[in-house]
Amino acid sequence: MLVVCETCPAIEQLAARDELIESLQGENAALRAKVAALAEIAFPHSERKDRAPGDDDLAGGDEVPGDDEPAGDAGEPARTGGVEGGADESFVPRRGQRRGAPGHGRRRYDDLSIKTVVHELGDDQRCCPRCKMPYEGIEGAEVSTQIEWRVEVYRIEHHRKRYARRCRCEAAPAVIVAPVPAKVIPKGLLTAEAIARALVDKFLLARPANKIVIALSFEGLDLAPGTLVGVFSKVAGLLAPLHEALFVHARQAGSWNCDETSWACFTDPDNTTGRRRRWWCWVARAHDVTVFRLVPSRAAKVLETLLGANDEAVSGIVCSDMYGVYPTLDQVRFVNAYCWAHVRRHIMRAAASMAALRTWADAWLELISTMYAAWHARRDGVDDGSRLKEVVATMRARLTEQLATPELAAPAAKVLAMMDSHWAGLVVFVTHLEIAPDNNAAEQVLRPEVLGRKNYGGSGMPWAADLAASAFSVFATIAQWRLNPLSYCSDYLSACASSGGRAPAELGPFLPWSASTENLERWRSPP
């Protein structure tokens, strides 16, 4: 019998190898969890084919196509398809209207103008096929409807009449001419409505400028790209005063939904490398106004400028996604309200990184869904809020209990610690009826900006970034008032033309909260 000593070098090498294998296995598991979490960020559950049934209902269909994944109203508990546990590859997510949702009925188009086309039968068709006796016409007709979509580009020739002097008064001019028509841009080619359509195409529909030029060429207008850029550069100065007026009103609100997403400026004077510089698109949405700011910074000073925090008279509730700059606001004048949809997203990412956390995640997601249902009941007047307080108290008790559990996996412990440190902001909506439990209002309003960033990359110059911020603010605000952007912008630019190519001295008539009822009604209709 061969007896091997326990201190033999071979045994020591095997033991060291076993320790190394165990260490590598632990490192591999941690890296797999990190890859799963990053995959959930890069490819959200709403975009993957391996999501489980029910996951597409969680965000309420309010997904923003961008790297800043939005949140939606919580629905049923999620059943996450984790990396380690495998998912149902045969599942196909539902599309279209959700089962049980109220329908909108058949659409009517009575507000459109009508072009009548009469269809008749030929003489050989409106007679009896046997005896050839002609049919007799009767009153009425079978009516069916089609919709024609036609874009017309045409020139407007202004013929200014001239008049010769017939008297001999030398002080009077010999010839007088009708005045030059008012133009948004002196000696410019485009009318106010044409410029308004270009602004809507670019900043509301996220259409690149070169695509606008190509689309116009299909209609017979060969417009130089430089001409359109020159128009935008002139309009930037016309929208700036209106943009500032929106800021003044926004700072008087008592609550805001704030968020930020990446942007780019391709030609920044402060950028000496010649490459595009990363900027940030900030938004603050109040109940009746939305304002944007495009700046090359994500620091707290931008948020202070956005909300006017330097003014001691400004105070209120700031709803956000728990980004670190928001707690830097003056906590005496500002209250931070945080987003439960982001918490929910972190829970789902933790479950995606480790299959063992699915039961834990499902329990939390179900409780969050119950909390949303209680909040909806209070908002709709079905409950006085007592049920919501009970659910939130249950959530706090569960959080405290699980924080004291030492064997909880690291991804779950990290989420729980985040919830605990932000708990005061997560429950602000319980005592403030005007606050929602999530920051969806800000994330949803960033849709055109995220699409614009993807379609045309950002802004070419700092003045273009200022124009984009102004246009984003104007379009988002008039959308809150359910106004037609073409009608509103056409009227505003016509007023600029009447002011000699400058912004109107009095902006009150163009601010929705101070505009006349007649103007609001006109702006709700097509131009």
Side-chain angles (χ1 to χ4, degrees):
M1 176 180 289
L2 179 62
V3 179
V4 180
C5 177
E6 294 184 357
T7 59
C8 179
I11 297 297
E12 294 179 355
Q13 291 177 1
L14 290 175
R17 183 172 298 177
D18 291 341
E19 292 180 359
L20 177 61
I21 292 174
E22 184 177 356
S23 174
L24 291 176
Q25 287 177 342
E27 183 179 352
N28 183 42
L31 290 175
R32 285 172 62 86
K34 181 177 291 187
V35 168
L38 293 175
E40 181 68 25
I41 296 174
F43 308 102
H45 64 279
S46 63
E47 300 176 5
R48 296 201 314 268
K49 295 182 179 179
D50 63 346
R51 58 183 177 176
D55 282 356
D56 64 326
D57 294 334
L58 295 175
D62 294 328
E63 296 288 338
V64 175
D67 57 0
D68 299 284
E69 180 190 354
D73 289 346
E76 61 181 275
R79 294 183 292 276
T80 57
V83 173
E84 298 179 5
D88 183 7
E89 297 292 340
S90 64
F91 171 69
V92 178
R94 294 193 304 271
R95 289 184 177 273
Q97 187 170 342
R98 298 293 180 261
R99 181 178 300 174
H104 50 72
R106 184 179 294 274
R107 297 183 184 273
R108 302 186 63 87
Y109 303 97
D110 298 339
D111 55 333
L112 297 179
S113 60
I114 299 176
K115 178 181 178 181
T116 303
V117 179
V118 178
H119 301 271
E120 296 184 355
L121 293 176
D123 294 338
D124 58 337
Q125 293 178 313
R126 55 188 185 199
C127 61
C128 177
R130 295 184 62 185
C131 66
K132 304 303 180 180
M133 177 70 69
Y135 278 65
E136 180 183 359
I138 59 177
E139 294 294 330
E142 297 288 337
V143 180
S144 59
T145 301
Q146 283 185 309
I147 295 179
E148 175 69 47
W149 180 10
R150 177 174 297 174
V151 178
E152 184 179 7
V153 180
Y154 57 91
R155 291 188 305 164
I156 300 176
E157 287 190 349
H158 298 279
H159 293 255
R160 298 157 52 207
K161 290 290 187 177
R162 298 182 297 175
Y163 304 88
R165 187 185 65 200
R166 300 183 62 184
C167 64
R168 296 185 178 182
C169 300
E170 296 182 357
V175 178
I176 58 176
V177 186
V180 177
K183 293 186 177 182
V184 179
I185 302 173
K187 298 183 179 181
L189 285 175
L190 301 183
T191 63
E193 186 173 337
I195 296 175
R197 290 183 182 276
L199 289 173
V200 169
D201 267 9
K202 170 78 173 181
F203 299 108
L204 184 58
L205 304 181
R207 209 175 191 184
N210 64 317
K211 298 295 184 183
I212 299 175
V213 172
I214 293 173
L216 289 173
S217 70
F218 296 157
E219 308 299 334
L221 176 60
D222 185 14
L223 186 68
T227 300
L228 186 59
V229 173
V231 169
F232 284 154
S233 66
K234 298 295 184 182
V235 173
L238 302 179
L239 292 183
L242 183 60
H243 189 206
E244 189 58 36
L246 298 180
F247 265 105
V248 172
H249 184 75
R251 290 163 182 165
Q252 299 172 3
S255 63
W256 308 268
N257 289 87
C258 297
D259 200 7
E260 72 287 331
T261 187
S262 59
W263 196 254
C265 186
F266 290 85
T267 308
D268 186 353
D270 299 330
N271 185 8
T272 58
T273 63
R275 301 176 181 175
R276 69 173 184 172
R277 180 175 178 180
R278 191 176 194 184
W279 282 35
W280 293 92
C281 177
W282 290 77
V283 61
R285 180 185 176 98
H287 69 283
D288 63 347
V289 62
T290 301
V291 290
F292 286 81
R293 184 78 79 188
L294 300 182
V295 289
S297 174
R298 205 185 182 190
K301 61 181 180 180
V302 181
L303 179 63
E304 295 173 355
T305 304
L306 187 71
L307 300 179
N310 295 328
D311 186 355
E312 295 293 333
V314 178
S315 62
I317 301 174
V318 180
C319 305
S320 68
D321 57 0
M322 294 177 281
Y323 176 50
V325 303
Y326 295 98
T328 63
L329 290 170
D330 185 355
Q331 297 301 296
V332 176
R333 294 187 292 118
F334 295 95
V335 177
N336 284 298
Y338 296 128
C339 177
W340 271 103
H342 280 78
V343 174
R344 187 174 162 281
R345 191 179 309 159
H346 286 296
I347 293 174
M348 296 176 66
R349 289 173 181 170
S353 67
M354 188 173 294
L357 293 177
R358 290 183 183 176
T359 303
W360 167 84
D362 285 347
W364 267 109
L365 293 175
E366 183 176 3
L367 192 54
I368 293 175
S369 177
T370 304
M371 179 267 291
Y372 265 92
W375 174 72
H376 285 140
R378 186 190 69 173
R379 183 195 61 183
D380 299 337
V382 178
D383 184 76
D384 61 355
S386 57
R387 173 59 179 162
L388 178 61
K389 293 179 181 179
E390 292 176 3
V391 176
V392 172
T394 302
M395 299 173 77
R396 178 68 250 191
R398 178 179 296 183
L399 176 61
T400 303
E401 178 185 356
Q402 293 185 358
L403 284 172
T405 305
E407 63 272 11
L408 198 63
K414 184 176 180 180
V415 174
L416 294 175
M418 178 268 296
M419 292 171 58
D420 183 53
S421 62
H422 295 86
W423 186 259
L426 287 171
V427 296
V428 169
F429 76 98
V430 178
T431 54
H432 292 80
L433 302 181
E434 73 278 13
I435 302 300
D438 50 47
N439 196 36
N440 289 356
E443 297 199 357
Q444 290 169 4
V445 81
L446 281 173
R447 284 181 173 183
E449 292 68 39
V450 173
L451 290 175
R453 180 186 65 203
K454 290 182 174 294
N455 289 350
Y456 49 82
S459 302
M461 295 285 289
W463 68 259
D466 293 339
L467 170 62
S470 300
F472 292 155
S473 301
V474 170
F475 290 141
T477 299
I478 63 179
Q480 289 178 261
W481 289 81
R482 301 184 182 278
L483 305 179
N484 187 306
L486 288 176
S487 300
Y488 178 88
C489 290
S490 296
D491 271 17
Y492 178 76
L493 292 174
S494 296
C496 293
S498 301
S499 300
R502 296 183 295 271
E506 180 57 45
L507 293 174
F510 294 97
L511 301 176
W513 46 88
S514 60
S516 64
T517 305
E518 294 77 13
N519 281 345
L520 291 177
E521 288 299 323
R522 186 172 70 256
W523 294 336
R524 289 190 176 99
S525 303

